[in-house]
Amino acid sequence: DTVIIGGGVVGLSILRASLQAGYNAILLERNPHLCNEASGRNSGVICTGVDAPSGSLERALIRDSISRVREFCVEHNVPMRECGSLVCLWPWDEHDNIITDDEDEKKIDDDNTLVTKPGNPDDKLERVLQESLIAGDNATLLSSETVLNLEPSLSSHCRGAVHIPGEIVVDPWLFPLALATHARELGKQSIHGQNIDVIQTGREVVMDSSSFNTEEGIWNLVTRRCEKDSEDVVFQTKSIINSVGVNSDLMQKIASSVVRNINPPTFAARPRQGQYIVYSAPQNEFPTRPIQPVPTERTKGIFVYSTLYNQIVVGPTAKDQSSRTDDEIERSVAKELAAHATRVFDRTMGSSIMQSDTDFDPTIVGEYVGIRPGTSKRDYQIQLHCHANFITVGGIRSTGLSASLGIGRHVVQSLLCSIVSRSEEESTSVQQASPTPLPDVESLVEQYHSRGDGTINVAGHDYRVTHPLTRMGWDARTGIASSGK
């Protein structure tokens, strides 16, 4: 019925939702391991969509997802911390200038330049509060004293905060792993007499003018292994779902060049690099809730939060770049992150981050960089090309983890169902069986160390731990140093 291209958290959620709805579905990932790109470099914080534009598809799908994510984590045994977050106002942020719309307050300087006025600190938090309430959060405004009572490890310079109770910290790798294991459990079926794994890694899709049969409305999708001398495999499918993250515009562009019924993309990728630094946290001296600044139109800002493995994360930054693959750690950015952490905690953290290329501060566990799949648009770019049975899922920005369950349901129930019809028997065969939960973290960590190759085995399938936060957390359980790369 459908082939999903892209093995990140969004593609895995779409695969699972397709199988749950009774579709025959398969996922193709060009990398040898799942979640090897943006989904393997996120923060692990599930947000509630406060910074997404009001009325946007992004906010709607985040809200749908957040309404089901707790049940999902419990059912699949995915570790989580329901803690909410604090949007804090700091003295270094409170006097950011703003341009007023009030004609009486506008002033022109000697150079005929519009003069801005300092933003009212109370207005900033009030705007966050009102936007949170509009988004559906039961948010509250907190005084600086209340903030310090909740999070005593923070600096006393905090001017106040908005508490957003719905935000959750999860293990960012075990969440998509649960999607993958459930999809494989749902997909234990025979297709044309062959037992086919519904998740195929290490397979790259090749499109040409013969890929789509216009008369029959069928795709003949050629895939080839990354290894040399491997045979091509052709998957015949009624539809394709393009979920390749930062390259979703390129995938649609290629498809439109060989299939006239597919329009060229109306959006362009704008990759944004986010750099993180991870510290070992002193016992009981780390924030329970993610600490974030007042968001801007461009970014949510730099977070400071603790993982489920009691490590402190500072990041991400937000650097726009043309490269879709450059994930090199920048030393100057690492120093900026350390300086931010120093101010938030009012203590020295990583002040000697780089005396030389190998002289790291001993409290630093590791660093990593993620490339977020932003676009030229402010909203998700989820598009249906009904005359070619082609769906693009692009522009997911940094909220793929948060919105994944909502995106999966939207793509299957609102789009896929309109281009792929099912028989009455297939429609009633919706998969409702309870999933097999993931093993406990303790047993996974033990297996991870006993194997020693960075992989674990769940339900007969090997998975590489691709996310630095999970890897660093699991390594630290036996004192092994970890690299963020």
Side-chain angles (χ1 to χ4, degrees):
D1 291 322
T2 191
V3 167
I4 298 103
I5 306 174
V9 66
V10 171
L12 289 168
S13 182
I14 296 170
L15 173 66
R16 172 178 174 265
S18 301
L19 294 166
Q20 284 181 310
Y23 288 103
N24 264 341
I26 199 168
L27 180 145
L28 305 176
E29 165 58 45
R30 69 177 180 179
N31 290 300
H33 308 288
L34 297 171
C35 298
N36 211 52
E37 298 184 13
S39 295
R41 296 290 189 276
N42 54 28
S43 67
V45 178
I46 293 182
C47 67
T48 59
V50 173
D51 71 315
S54 181
S56 64
L57 181 61
E58 178 180 14
R59 179 177 284 186
L61 297 185
I62 290 175
R63 299 305 303 183
D64 178 39
S65 188
I66 201 76
S67 70
R68 294 181 290 130
V69 72
R70 293 168 179 79
E71 180 184 0
F72 175 86
C73 288
V74 171
E75 191 174 34
H76 292 266
N77 200 28
V78 175
M80 66 172 172
R81 184 169 71 239
E82 299 181 73
C83 52
S85 66
L86 293 175
V87 180
C88 295
L89 183 64
W90 301 97
W92 51 86
D93 294 329
E94 65 181 4
H95 294 300
D96 288 346
N97 287 336
I98 59 173
I99 296 178
T100 176
D101 291 328
D102 189 336
E103 293 293 334
D104 293 333
E105 294 183 5
K106 288 182 178 179
K107 296 181 181 179
I108 305 296
D109 67 8
D110 295 337
D111 296 323
N112 202 38
T113 302
L114 183 66
V115 177
T116 60
K117 70 169 187 175
N120 187 321
D122 293 334
D123 287 348
K124 287 194 169 192
L125 288 180
E126 183 64 30
R127 285 199 299 269
V128 173
L129 175 64
Q130 293 306 317
E131 199 60 43
S132 302
L133 295 173
I134 291 172
D137 289 312
N138 186 24
T140 53
L141 191 62
L142 306 180
S143 67
S144 57
E145 293 78 12
T146 303
V147 171
L148 293 178
N149 286 333
L150 288 174
E151 298 292 354
S153 63
L154 295 186
S155 166
S156 59
H157 294 299
C158 178
R159 297 292 193 252
V162 174
H163 178 231
I164 302 176
E167 305 206 335
I168 303 170
V169 178
V170 299
D171 182 304
W173 185 74
L174 289 179
F175 190 97
L177 177 65
L179 292 170
T181 57
H182 192 203
R184 277 175 157 150
E185 194 170 15
L186 293 169
K188 287 181 180 176
Q189 54 194 350
S190 178
I191 302 177
H192 298 298
Q194 302 180 46
N195 291 320
I196 297 179
D197 186 358
V198 296
I199 296 176
Q200 299 275 323
T201 57
R203 285 204 175 278
E204 190 157 18
V205 172
V206 181
M207 289 186 183
D208 57 30
S209 57
S210 64
S211 295
F212 183 65
N213 186 320
T214 306
E215 293 182 2
E216 296 182 3
I218 296 295
W219 285 88
N220 294 292
L221 207 56
V222 177
T223 67
R224 56 188 49 157
R225 288 280 188 188
C226 300
E227 301 91 355
K228 292 182 179 179
D229 303 323
S230 60
E231 294 184 358
D232 292 350
V233 174
V234 179
F235 291 94
Q236 194 173 73
T237 180
K238 299 174 185 176
S239 64
I240 289 178
I241 300 175
N242 160 26
S243 181
V244 295
V246 73
N247 293 315
S248 58
D249 62 329
L250 295 182
M251 176 66 73
Q252 184 173 326
K253 185 176 181 180
I254 293 170
S256 67
S257 69
V258 298
V259 180
R260 59 183 175 83
N261 291 332
I262 298 177
N263 296 323
T266 56
F267 63 96
R270 288 187 177 171
R272 178 169 289 180
Q273 187 188 92
Q275 186 164 323
Y276 299 79
I277 188 166
V278 184
Y279 296 93
S280 58
Q283 188 68 27
N284 299 323
E285 290 191 32
F286 49 84
T288 301
R289 302 158 188 83
I291 308 301
Q292 54 181 297
V294 175
T296 68
E297 282 292 317
R298 180 175 177 271
T299 176
K300 291 185 74 172
I302 297 173
F303 282 40
V304 178
Y305 63 100
S306 58
T307 70
L308 299 179
Y309 306 107
N310 296 341
Q311 294 174 336
I312 295 176
V313 183
V314 184
T317 53
K319 173 191 172 185
D320 293 322
Q321 60 181 37
S322 59
S323 172
R324 300 172 190 243
T325 58
D326 181 9
D327 61 355
E328 290 300 312
I329 292 171
E330 296 186 17
R331 298 268 58 89
S332 59
V333 175
K335 292 180 179 179
E336 291 174 10
L337 290 173
H340 181 79
T342 297
R343 291 190 295 184
V344 168
F345 290 111
D346 202 14
R347 71 179 69 182
T348 301
M349 294 186 66
S351 57
S352 58
I353 275 188
M354 281 302 291
Q355 301 298 334
S356 68
D357 287 345
T358 57
D359 186 16
F360 282 89
D361 185 287
T363 63
I364 297 174
V365 177
E367 302 166 275
Y368 68 97
V369 170
I371 300 176
R372 291 170 290 209
T375 71
S376 54
K377 306 291 185 179
R378 187 70 174 89
D379 199 0
Y380 287 173
Q381 299 301 299
I382 301 180
Q383 304 170 355
L384 168 63
H385 303 265
C386 58
H387 295 296
N389 296 346
F390 187 92
I391 298 171
T392 286
V393 182
I396 307 303
R397 303 199 307 135
S398 61
T399 52
L401 176 66
S402 300
S404 56
L405 298 182
I407 294 172
R409 176 148 70 179
H410 173 70
V411 169
V412 172
Q413 295 187 4
S414 299
L415 304 180
L416 183 61
C417 68
S418 67
I419 57 175
V420 178
S421 59
R422 292 172 295 159
S423 65
E424 184 176 343
E425 180 181 349
E426 289 173 323
S427 299
T428 57
S429 66
V430 177
Q431 304 277 357
Q432 297 291 352
S434 297
T436 302
L438 293 176
D440 291 336
V441 171
E442 289 74 14
S443 62
L444 293 176
V445 172
E446 182 179 355
Q447 183 189 158
Y448 170 78
H449 286 295
S450 64
R451 283 186 152 217
D453 60 357
T455 68
I456 61 171
N457 185 284
V458 178
H461 294 277
D462 288 344
Y463 297 92
R464 179 168 294 280
V465 182
T466 52
H467 203 295
L469 291 183
T470 303
R471 194 167 59 243
M472 292 176 193
W474 289 9
D475 284 347
R477 296 224 162 176
T478 55
I480 299 174
S482 177
S483 170
K485 293 291 284 181

